[in-house]
Amino acid sequence: MSKICITDAVPEAGIARLVAHGHEVVRWPGAEAPRRHELLDHVHGAEGVLSVLSDEVDEEFLTAAGSQLKVVANVAAGYNNIDVDACRRHGVVPTTTPGVLFDATADTAFGLLLMVTRRFGEAERLVRAGQPWRYRTTFMLGHSIEGKSIGLIGAGQIGTAMARRCHAFGMSIYYAQEHPMKEPARSELGAVGLPVDELVASCDVVSLHCPLTAQTRHILDASRLASMKPGAYLINTARGACVDEAALVEALRSGPLAGAGLDVYEDEPTINPGLFGLENVVLLPHLGSANVETRTTMTQLAADNVDAVLAGRPALTPVPGF
Ligand SMILES: O=CC(=O)O
C-alpha cells in the first residue's frame, strides 16, 4: 500500500480510483488551500502526490516530500508549476492531464469571446445593479464575430478546439505556432499560420492557447498589445503571465483594445485592480476546464498516472519530453 497525498480538494472519483488501486490516500483536510509550510509537511513521506496548479513543485517541495517520492501527478494540463529538471534530479516522474480538457477549455474561451464582443458581461452587471434599461435599437450594441478573424497563439488541442468553434461561427482562422496545426483540422478549418507579430497586428480577436514557458512569458508585452488592431479583442484562458497585465489595463483604457475576456491572471488569485474599473472586460475565476465531467476524467487520469508509476509501468501522460 503506497501513501498518496492529495494537496487540495479533487473530485471523489479520482480518490475512489486511487483507493481501488489499493493505495492509502491522505487528503488535505483544510477548506483553504494549504499554505506553503503546510503543503511541505503534508507531502512528507508520500510516494505519490496529486498536485494542483497552485502548488509550486520545486526543489524545496521534492526535498520536503523525501526520497521515496516517485510521481507527482498534476491535475491540470499546464505544468508551469512543476520544475521538471528538479523532478529529474529527484527521480520523480511529473505527469499532466492532456487530451481530456480541450473541449471544456475551448468552451470557456469561446464563451468569453461572445461575452465580451456582445457585451454580455457588462449587460448582466447592469441588470443586477438595478440600473434602468429598456429595449431600444441602439441599446448596448456589441459586435458580430461572423466574418471576423481570430488569431490563436498556440494551436494544439485547445487552440484547435477553439478554432473549430470559431469556424462554425463564420470566423477566419489564423494561428501562430512553431509547427503547423495538425491535419485534418488545418485543412478543414482553412487555418493559416502567421508569425506572432503579424498575427497580433492583423486579427480582430487574439486568443491565447499556449503553455507558459520562458518563451511565452509576456508574449503579449506592452509593445505587442499596442500593435493590436484598433477595436480588437483579447481572450486569455491559457496562463495570466503570458500577458503583461499592467500593459493590458493600459491597452484597454486607452486603446487599441476594445475589450478582453480573461480567465487567468498574472498573480492569481490577485487581479490587477485596474481591471475591475473597466466595463469592457469579462473576468472569470480560472474556470477553464471546470465542469464535473472533465474534472472527474482529469482526476482519474492523474490517479492512473500515479498507479502506473508506482507499479513500475511508464506514466500514461508524463509532461512532454520527460
Ligand atoms: O489551467 C488549467 C489546466 O492547465 O488544466
Side-chain angles (χ1 to χ4, degrees), residues 13-33:
I15 297 174
R17 182 75 67 105
L18 285 169
V19 172
H21 286 314
H23 300 296
E24 178 203 355
V25 174
V26 183
R27 302 165 185 242
W28 170 247
E32 301 295 323

Side-chain angles (χ1 to χ4, degrees), residues 17-68:
R17 182 75 67 105
L18 285 169
V19 172
H21 286 314
H23 300 296
E24 178 203 355
V25 174
V26 183
R27 302 165 185 242
W28 170 247
E32 301 295 323
R35 283 173 291 179
R36 180 67 176 176
H37 70 275
E38 294 171 328
L39 176 69
L40 300 184
D41 280 352
H42 178 60
V43 298
H44 181 72
E47 286 154 81
V49 170
L50 239 67
S51 57
V52 296
L53 49 84
S54 48
D55 302 328
E56 207 56 51
V57 179
D58 54 8
E59 187 62 49
E60 184 188 39
F61 178 105
L62 297 165
T63 304
S67 57
Q68 74 300 323

Side-chain angles (χ1 to χ4, degrees), residues 6 11 55 68 92 120 123 132 142 171 193 219 235 291 305 313 317 320-321:
I6 305 183
D55 302 328
Q68 74 300 323
V92 169
F120 292 155
M171 299 186 82
I219 191 165
I235 307 297
N291 67 49
N305 270 308
R313 300 189 303 271
T317 48

Side-chain angles (χ1 to χ4, degrees), residues 20-321:
H21 286 314
H23 300 296
E24 178 203 355
V25 174
V26 183
R27 302 165 185 242
W28 170 247
E32 301 295 323
R35 283 173 291 179
R36 180 67 176 176
H37 70 275
E38 294 171 328
L39 176 69
L40 300 184
D41 280 352
H42 178 60
V43 298
H44 181 72
E47 286 154 81
V49 170
L50 239 67
S51 57
V52 296
L53 49 84
S54 48
D55 302 328
E56 207 56 51
V57 179
D58 54 8
E59 187 62 49
E60 184 188 39
F61 178 105
L62 297 165
T63 304
S67 57
Q68 74 300 323
L69 181 67
K70 296 282 173 298
V71 53
V72 172
N74 224 26
V75 187
Y79 55 93
N80 52 290
N81 59 312
I82 298 183
D83 181 339
V84 176
D85 288 335
C87 285
R88 229 174 240 120
R89 287 194 296 277
H90 284 257
V92 169
V93 180
T95 72
T96 166
T97 60
V100 295
L101 54 76
F102 51 90
D103 276 324
T105 307
D107 288 346
T108 302
F110 193 73
L112 281 169
L113 171 57
L114 283 182
M115 283 184 79
V116 70
T117 54
R118 291 290 308 278
R119 301 174 64 182
F120 292 155
E122 188 184 343
E124 215 261 351
R125 287 192 294 273
L126 173 137
V127 172
R128 276 187 188 277
Q131 300 281 324
W133 64 275
R134 68 183 174 92
Y135 175 83
R136 294 184 84 188
T137 55
T138 52
F139 176 60
M140 213 173 250
L141 304 187
H143 285 281
S144 166
I145 57 172
E146 190 181 3
K148 305 282 169 57
S149 54
I150 178 120
L152 309 161
I153 299 185
Q157 289 182 314
I158 302 173
T160 301
M162 175 65 165
R164 288 197 183 284
R165 285 154 178 73
C166 293
H167 182 258
F169 277 68
M171 299 186 82
S172 46
I173 315 294
Y174 297 87
Y175 68 93
Q177 181 169 264
E178 265 169 36
H179 46 277
M181 182 187 273
K182 277 207 178 129
E183 294 292 358
R186 191 178 64 87
S187 306
E188 284 169 7
L189 303 173
V192 175
L194 287 179
V196 180
D197 284 327
E198 204 177 316
L199 174 131
V200 168
S202 61
C203 286
D204 298 306
V205 182
V206 172
S207 188
L208 287 157
H209 300 285
C210 52
L212 175 63
T213 63
Q215 289 72 42
T216 62
R217 185 171 293 278
H218 283 195
I219 191 165
L220 291 185
D221 58 10
S223 95
R224 283 211 173 110
L225 287 166
S227 77
M228 285 178 75
K229 239 174 131 170
Y233 295 90
L234 173 68
I235 307 297
N236 191 5
T237 52
R239 285 292 181 268
C242 294
V243 181
D244 179 337
E245 206 165 280
L248 173 61
V249 170
E250 212 29 58
L252 286 161
R253 268 197 195 127
S254 328
L257 285 186
L262 306 175
D263 187 42
V264 289
Y265 307 90
E266 264 202 273
D267 186 23
E268 282 180 31
T270 303
I271 298 182
N272 186 314
L275 289 170
F276 291 115
L278 297 170
E279 284 296 357
N280 54 348
V281 186
V282 178
L283 305 172
L284 295 184
H286 202 148
L287 294 182
S289 60
N291 67 49
V292 172
E293 295 81 356
T294 303
R295 288 283 165 85
T296 298
T297 313
M298 287 166 69
T299 318
Q300 288 174 330
L301 176 55
D304 288 345
N305 270 308
V306 166
D307 189 60
V309 174
L310 293 181
R313 300 189 303 271
L316 306 175
T317 48
V319 303

